[in-house]
């Protein structure tokens, strides 16, 4: 059986993506770092809608945790594999660069970029062997496309993810595995709730933040059979903020 793994699936965009993928009839592995209650709620909601979900706790930025959790899963599922991977886990620790603590630089890059590397590297062999058209979607950001003040760490991580998406897409294309990135603008989640929303909405041509469900609908398309010929792309979803 083909499974989906969504990193950072317990809240925000990841939560909406888990719900959407489960509605496609794909069993979903909901990864989270520490908020078990939120992850349990996602699982319960998927099951209430008739879908299948399981939880998997690991910190994407810690290679030992990634290898152990995914290795155990593979041992327990000899006939299954993870065909759909959404590298969504991410954090932000904003600060102007001259005041940015070293740990905030590394924490942001380690989560978005190292996390992508550790999880994807572990899953690629099976995804490529099966030749059934695997899918990888990486959660980048408008910040990675244009750069944003106070986000040198975050913009660097999200821009690097775009480079990695394009390189990996070339490696996996002959096996029918697509690799794409999604670049959201401002979306209503815990990550953006502290921001001055009224001010920022004025910058958005559509005058509103996006909803997690709108990003999830795009990810759903990218992992569907309909998107089999799209790879190495970065798709923006930002209400016209960067067009
Ligand atoms: P969020 O509401 O803060 O949720 C973050 C999720 O990531 C949570 O499920 C959290 O798990 C998980 N997570 C954080 N660090 C992790 C780690 N080291 N290992 C595993 N899981 C980890 O964030 P969001 O707004 O949904 O953002 C999701 C992704 O979209 C991020 O990559 C973000 O950079 C990107 N993005 C967001 C926006 C936006 O406007 N919201 C815009 C562009 C891009 P716990 O629940 O266990 O803490």
């Amino acid at each position: 059986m083909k499974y989906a793994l969504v990193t950072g699936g317990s809240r925000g965009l990841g939560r909406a993506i888990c719900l959407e993928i489960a509605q496609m009839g794909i069993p979903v592995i909901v990864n989270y770092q520490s908020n078990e209650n939120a992850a349990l709620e996602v699982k319960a909601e998927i099951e209430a809608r008739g879908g299948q979900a399981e939880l998997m706790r690991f910190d994407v930025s810690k290679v030992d945790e990634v290898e152990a959790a995914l290795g155990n899963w593979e041992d327990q599922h000899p006939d299954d594999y993870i065909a759909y991977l959404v590298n969504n886990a991410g954090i932000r620790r904003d600060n102007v660069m001259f005041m940015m603590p070293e740990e905030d630089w590394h924490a942001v890059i380690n989560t978005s970029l190292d996390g992508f590397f550790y999880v994807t590297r572990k899953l690629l062999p099976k995804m490529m062997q099966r030749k059934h058209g695997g899918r990888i979607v990486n959660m980048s950001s408008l910040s990675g496309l244009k750069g944003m003040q106070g986000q040198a760490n975050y913009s660097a991580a999200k821009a690097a993810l775009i480079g990695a998406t394009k390189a990996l897409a070339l490696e996996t294309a002959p096996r029918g595995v697509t690799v794409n990135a999604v670049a959201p603008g401002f979306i209503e989640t815990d990550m953006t709730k502290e921001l001055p929303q009224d001010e920022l909405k004025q910058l958005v041509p559509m005058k509103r933040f996006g909803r997690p469900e709108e990003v999830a609908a795009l990810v759903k398309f990218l992992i569907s059979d309909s998107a089999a010929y799209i790879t190495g792309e970065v798709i923006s979803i930002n209400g016209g903020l960067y067009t």
Side-chain angles (χ1 to χ4, degrees):
M1 189 162 353
K2 298 205 258 185
Y3 279 71
L5 169 66
V6 181
T7 67
S10 49
R11 291 184 288 120
L13 301 185
R15 175 183 179 280
I17 292 164
C18 286
L19 294 173
E20 193 72 59
I21 293 177
Q23 287 295 107
M24 297 167 82
I26 300 167
V28 178
I29 303 166
V30 181
N31 159 255
Y32 65 101
Q33 183 189 20
S34 56
N35 198 332
E36 186 167 22
N37 285 340
L40 283 166
E41 276 173 34
V42 177
K43 181 176 187 291
E45 194 161 342
I46 288 173
E47 288 169 352
R49 296 179 188 192
Q52 278 186 65
E54 53 190 81
L55 304 188
M56 194 187 283
R57 199 215 73 78
F58 59 82
D59 178 338
V60 293
S61 70
K62 302 218 164 99
V63 66
D64 294 349
E65 290 190 19
V66 171
E67 291 280 325
L70 290 171
N72 283 341
W73 188 89
E74 285 178 354
D75 291 346
Q76 286 161 15
H77 291 79
D79 300 325
D80 305 321
Y81 75 108
I82 295 168
Y84 311 97
L85 168 62
V86 184
N87 286 303
N88 165 77
I91 56 169
R92 66 178 184 87
R93 301 255 176 97
D94 298 355
N95 211 331
V96 286
M97 196 158 139
F98 78 94
M99 291 177 64
M100 187 176 285
E102 212 170 297
E103 67 191 73
D104 287 358
W105 171 262
H106 290 299
V108 168
I109 290 178
N110 292 350
T111 306
S112 272
L113 190 60
D114 295 12
F116 149 81
F117 173 63
Y118 297 144
V119 176
T120 309
R121 181 182 60 174
K122 179 74 181 162
L123 300 181
L124 272 172
K126 289 222 162 126
M127 223 186 253
M128 288 177 65
Q129 271 163 22
R130 304 289 173 122
K131 292 193 188 166
H132 287 152
R135 296 279 186 273
I136 299 169
V137 178
N138 298 321
M139 198 54 71
S140 182
S141 169
L142 173 66
S143 189
L145 286 170
K146 74 181 278 287
M148 304 255 272
Q149 273 174 308
Q151 291 200 318
N153 49 359
Y154 187 84
S155 295
K158 296 301 192 183
L161 208 44
I162 290 172
T165 297
K166 288 172 183 280
L168 183 60
L170 298 176
E171 293 178 18
T172 62
R175 297 288 178 141
V177 175
T178 69
V179 189
N180 291 290
V182 170
F186 294 114
I187 313 294
E188 282 170 5
T189 68
D190 290 346
M191 187 178 271
T192 53
K193 73 179 177 204
E194 316 270 284
L195 298 177
Q197 295 210 7
D198 289 340
E199 240 171 78
L200 292 171
K201 279 178 192 169
Q202 295 316 309
L203 304 175
V204 182
M206 286 191 184
K207 304 294 178 207
R208 68 172 177 88
F209 277 22
R211 294 187 297 276
E213 295 72 26
E214 292 173 310
V215 179
L218 172 57
V219 174
K220 175 188 176 180
F221 171 67
L222 287 173
I223 71 165
S224 72
D225 290 344
S226 308
Y229 204 52
I230 301 174
T231 197
E233 288 299 321
V234 187
I235 306 194
S236 288
I237 174 160
N238 57 31
L241 186 54
Y242 186 66
T243 49

